Amino acid sequence: MADTRCLRDVLGRFVTGVVAVTAAGPDGPVGLTANSFTSVSLNPPLVLFCVHRSSRVRQAFAQAGAFGVNILDESQEAVSRQFSRPAEERAGGLTFHRGQTGAPLLTDALAYLDCELEEQIEAGDHIIVLGRVRDHEVQWEGRRPLAFFSGRYTRLHTEEPVPANRPAG
Ligand SMILES: Cc1cc2nc3c(=O)[nH]c(=O)nc-3n(C[C@H](O)[C@H](O)[C@H](O)COP(=O)(O)O)c2cc1C
């Protein structure tokens, strides 16, 4: 059996972005910070994130049948902390707009994906939440993403300006 601490250390060496996944709850937006987000398929457009089985907000995603993936920028560490702290009221003080699916989307996020819940797959102590992208947008061109590495928030260091579009080729 793998040594859990060592496994965490190794997995932490894989640098990721940080997203806030959000859903419409009975009393307003709910969600959690996640770095398990990844793209799965372009055609059809599918993405996933993993949520711990014991998460108190997990059921909200199933009940809503839709969720938003809000990609955070480097100035949004506080938003990430807000969505990961053990509080009932995680979405307080933030501005949302409603996506096509009805999911709440953070107005200030770098980019968003508005998803319908496609499938939930049990995987060990987590649930893989697979979503079909119904709408998506880069909201703020030129901003840099928030990154997570080795258990810490970090930033991209590059002299290059952030490309507005995909490089050709
Ligand atoms: C950078 C970062 C990434 C995280 N990624 C995940 C994740 O992918 N899946 C998950 O279930 N929790 C993740 N968490 C923990 C959740 O944000 C949150 O703390 C947890 O859901 C709290 O439990 P609750 O949902 O019961 O309130 C992450 C936390 C941080 C700070």
Side-chain angles (χ1 to χ4, degrees), residues 61-155:
F61 291 91
Q63 278 156 12
F67 62 89
V69 178
N70 304 275
I71 301 174
L72 302 183
D73 75 35
E74 64 181 4
S75 73
Q76 293 181 304
E77 196 176 309
V79 178
S80 174
R81 290 188 193 283
Q82 183 165 337
F83 271 102
S84 60
R85 71 185 179 208
E88 297 304 323
E89 184 40 56
R90 280 185 175 157
L94 298 170
T95 311
F96 295 88
H97 58 99
R98 196 167 284 279
Q100 284 179 18
T101 65
L105 301 166
L106 271 173
T107 307
D108 255 356
L110 179 63
Y112 70 76
L113 299 130
D114 181 17
C115 306
E116 265 170 23
L117 181 63
E118 179 88 357
E119 202 178 337
Q120 295 189 85
I121 303 154
E122 298 198 3
D125 56 11
H126 277 66
I127 311 284
I128 300 169
V129 182
L130 190 65
R132 183 174 288 247
V133 181
R134 292 299 183 198
D135 188 29
H136 52 88
E137 189 181 344
V138 175
Q139 299 191 116
W140 298 97
E141 290 285 6
R143 288 197 188 172
R144 294 178 195 280
L146 183 60
F148 199 70
F149 175 68
S150 210
R152 290 194 172 86
Y153 293 102
T154 187
R155 284 158 184 75

Side-chain angles (χ1 to χ4, degrees), residues 32-36 50-52 55-57 83-84 90 148 153:
L32 76 158
T33 297
N35 69 338
S36 56
C50 302
V51 61
H52 200 278
S55 167
R56 291 166 304 159
V57 297
F83 271 102
S84 60
R90 280 185 175 157
F148 199 70
Y153 293 102

